[in-house]
Amino acid sequence: MSGPVRFGRRVRALPWPGLQWAWHAPSGLAVAVALVLAVGVSVGTYGTGGAAADVQPVAAPDACAPDWVTGWQTAAQPAPGNPALGGTTLRMVVHPQVTGSEIRLRLSNAYGTVPLSVAGVSAARSDGAAGLLPGTVASVMFGGQPSVVIPAGADVLSDPVPLVAEAGRPLAVSMFLPVAPPVLTQHSVALQTSYVSRRGDWTLGDASAFPVPVGSWLVLTGVDVLVPRPVNAVVTVGDSITDGVGSGPDADERWSDALSDRLSRSGGAAVMSVLNAGIARNRLLSDGTAGGGDSPLTRFDRDVASAAGATDVVLHIGTNDVAARRSAAEITEGMRRFAERARSAGMRVFLTTITPSDAGPHGTSAAVANRAAVNAWVRVHGREYADGVFDFAASVADPAEPTSLAPEFDSGDGLHLSAAGYRAMAAAVDPELLTGSPCLAGTSPVRVLLSGG
């Protein structure tokens, strides 16, 4: 699969004198952002497994110029187009993982059957809902033009947008669709509230123009951020458990979010952008089943390899294949193929055990036996094909009944995890096995200082 159509200029080398920088966004933005990177804080070691090095890697100074990294993304799925969306503006709310001076947007018509016209796009800091922070709204261009037509089956990447992104602070991306397509590319289970306007181009409009909340991300599938020093990304691939089902809406409590928080608190070279490529109902061995999107191997190029700065990938999947009565041999062969694909792309790849469940077809005696066989293979043979193994099943199992989730980690349906369960999964990741971001070695966590508003 080819990558997105790219618009705009090459990355420019920005001057970053010393260790303190300030960005002043255009268009009267009253917020100055300073990044202070204090030298001399060492990074500790984590976990007990794997062949981890005792010393964090250090990048050559000339490799540490400003660069792009994907700061937020979601995995695309097809959905029937809603005619009511024609002539409205979509306002998608997202939370970037990194801080930087510019952004660029990836819009997707990957599953479209006809070209998708987007007649206007803006980006701004969000108040967390449909509101835009005053003075932060920036128009988005594509090859210098304010509109773009995305071919069927394609993605596009915008020109750079001079808008400061801050790690964890919400951005709002607004897109005017003159006509609703018959098939819309979206991510169904966002666990994040976004908005649809009343009729009209409201890309620069205030919250009052957006009366309809939606729980999916539409058209927007990625936000890249220009960071002062290169930050690498790890992509988490999987099903509803990676998608975060069972955690709270608008709370960023997926296991990928918990891992991001853990790495950012560590600081230094441990910091990475943690990207989520989970799709509810996804299966390792089949495409498009019951709305579950394409398999991880089919969507690898779009959801993993195309992410700017991606160096690592963690695969956590298989529970839906077990429920569909696929054999342990089939599932482990699928894991092996995925690991080989990731390694052929030059990435570090990590396999995980399948978390326990006693729910419906996930909890039959045959499913329990199959899952146990897969997990035994991952523990014994996973490192033969991958760069490491994370035992998610052991981290969340009930000690008294290991075939079930521990009560405190169960969201209530016997399959999906609570926020505490997702934190336990993230705690099972050994950061020493990840690539990390060598250009941040020896630095403290980035502190974002705000003034004005």
Side-chain angles (χ1 to χ4, degrees), residues 24 99 119 218 252 294 379 410 445:
H24 297 280
T99 297
L218 313 175
D252 290 336
D294 290 331
R379 292 173 180 130
D410 188 345

Side-chain angles (χ1 to χ4, degrees), residues 170-246:
L171 296 178
V173 175
S174 305
M175 300 165 284
F176 175 53
L177 303 186
V179 179
V183 179
L184 191 67
T185 298
Q186 67 172 42
H187 183 83
S188 298
V189 182
L191 295 175
Q192 170 66 57
T193 305
S194 291
Y195 302 88
V196 177
S197 77
R198 58 181 183 265
R199 289 188 62 82
D201 180 351
W202 296 99
T203 51
L204 305 179
D206 63 22
S208 64
F210 291 84
V212 181
V214 293
S216 300
W217 284 306
L218 313 175
V219 182
L220 179 70
T221 57
V223 178
D224 292 350
V225 179
L226 183 62
V227 290
R229 296 185 183 181
V231 178
N232 290 328
V234 53
V235 185
T236 61
V237 177
D239 48 42
S240 57
I241 294 171
T242 295
D243 217 3
V245 174

Side-chain angles (χ1 to χ4, degrees), residues 3 11-12 14 21 59 74 111-112 129 203 227 231-232 241 273 285 304 314 360 377 406 410 433:
V11 177
R12 58 186 171 86
L14 298 178
W21 307 290
T74 194
Y111 292 99
T203 51
V227 290
V231 178
N232 290 328
I241 294 171
S273 180
L285 301 175
V304 180
V314 181
W377 179 90
D410 188 345
L433 297 181

